[in-house]
Amino acid sequence: MKLKQISIFLENKKGRLWKALSILKDAGINIRALSIADTSGFGILRLIVPEPEEAKKVLEAGNFVVKVNDVIAIGVPDKPGGLDGILEVLNKSNINVEYLYAFVAKRGEQAMVVLRTEDIDAGIKALEDGGVTILSSEEVYKL
Amino acid sequence: MIWNEELECMSEDEKKQLQLTRLQDVVKKAYENVPYYRKRFEEIGIKPEDIKTLNDVEMLPFTTKTDLREAYPFGMFAVPEDDIIEVHTSSGTTGKPTVSGYTQTDLEIWSEVMARALAMAGAGRKDFIQNAYGYGLFTGGMGVHYGAQKIGATVVPISAGNTMRQLEIMQDFGTTIITCTPSYALYLAEVAEKEGIRKESIKLKAGIFGAEMWTEEMRKELEKRLNIDALNIYGLTEIIGPGVAMECNDKNGLHISDDHFYPEIIDANTLETLPEGKKGELVLTTLTREGMPIIRFRTKDITALRKGKCSCGRTLIKMDRITGRTDDMLKIRGVIVFPSQIEKALLRIEGLEPHYQIVVTRPHHLDEIEVLVENSEKLFSDEVKHVEEAKKMIEDYIHSEIGLRVNVILVEPQSIPRSEGKAVRVIDKREF
């Protein structure tokens, strides 16, 4: 089960992140998960939102470069070693993780991990074969 | 040492008389032998005999780089092609180059003004002049060569590049004068230090640096590191090549050989002639050239003129160090770069908007270019490595177009200011 993620190009300049988020606020779009990859020259803001296409549209209207792509969302028990098991599965299947980010919805319950493998389908298959729970879009948006 | 005391130190009155006679002569020759000039003179209704005083030069039409380009290849020659014995061209980066044709007499004039220039740097028969300007269609190499031979110095025609060999020869031959671009001289100094070459093994006394804009700070740096007098030379292919003007040891402005090249400063917008000491665009008229007389050539170089007797004894008029150009041509580490070349490179990349801005800086005495390019969906990715690959690809495209490495900075769409008229493509932060 694939999940849509939106990525936004951010210039390495004051106020750009705020500008992107305020556009989403004005459009009434709620952010479920967020991560920023930063380099010396630019940043990539990655977001999970319930309305990715709508978010892309409003951000583009605000002159941002936006890309929508697939990622995998996984539910992980919020306890020590929760993420370890997943990475073990991927490692055994020789799947390279491009990036991942995680957050806890409610302490003690479940954590969500968003991960991007080079080949999304291969990533999903390896995880499913390894008995990992992949979350559907609906489940993610409800978190 | 003054090469030609009679002409370099003549009185104001004598010089004015000489300039007027020569101006009248060159105007007549241009009118009679170059159809382009005849047409231009007729358009504004003037005849050569209308030139009665030096100030009448202001009636004459300007010649621009575009005019010369349109005359490509030999349209500006004033003599039969048989009489032309050498040609050079400008770099021709924005289309057709401009051609400069020389008769025997022209080469003698060039040798004469270059001999004056080299003598200003102290060159004599005993000197070894290592000529690291490029030999070829570029005028730098041959200009220095002719001047050195005229003086009777020993010229080492090593041409540009090959730094290790430059340093080896410099030590083995006991080079006393080096001629190259100032940025290359700095590079030579850096490599010499890195290689642990002892200062005593280098006998340089002077460097003649030109073909790009440079600063007083750079002069100090070069003088300290190479233990030399670093002197500024100026010239342009359209007029003759290097040797149009050169600094004496006073190091306070360049002496124009104004018995051969008549200088004016104009306001680049109103085209009016500006008084002495005012900064504006340098305009040059060749007073003695046979093969290709050029009337009021707009150099686009910004400077000011200063008359009077110099502490060195010369009365040749002085021009300030060039502080900029009226157009957007850039000289980056001696290489000519036009914003249009960057645009050309960007246009070759699919999915990229050709909105860009060039920022030129000089952080450590070497020019650096940053090119701001607007990111697009086509280039963008959720992965950092792909965005960095896109940046690298743009840098490669620009490199193959201009021959220099630049740093591409991806910016957000619409973040580069748009303009109705001429876009501001270049932000030159170098201080000249």
Side-chain angles (χ1 to χ4, degrees), chain A residues 7-11 16 37 39 42 44 46 56 60 63 65-67 69 98-99 116 118, chain B residues 375-388 391 409-415:
Chain A
S7 305
I8 301 135
F9 177 79
L10 296 179
E11 236 179 273
R16 300 315 296 163
T39 72
F42 60 90
I44 301 175
R46 303 181 186 121
K56 181 173 195 280
E60 279 177 347
N63 289 324
V65 184
V66 184
K67 206 123 193 179
N69 68 291
E98 295 293 346
Y99 56 82
R116 166 82 148 92
E118 195 151 50
Chain B
N375 206 345
S376 68
E377 198 177 342
K378 187 105 186 166
L379 298 172
F380 183 52
S381 155
D382 62 312
E383 289 184 56
V384 171
K385 67 175 179 194
H386 289 154
V387 179
E388 289 189 326
K391 168 181 141 76
I409 295 176
L410 291 169
V411 297
E412 288 169 20
Q414 303 294 324
S415 62

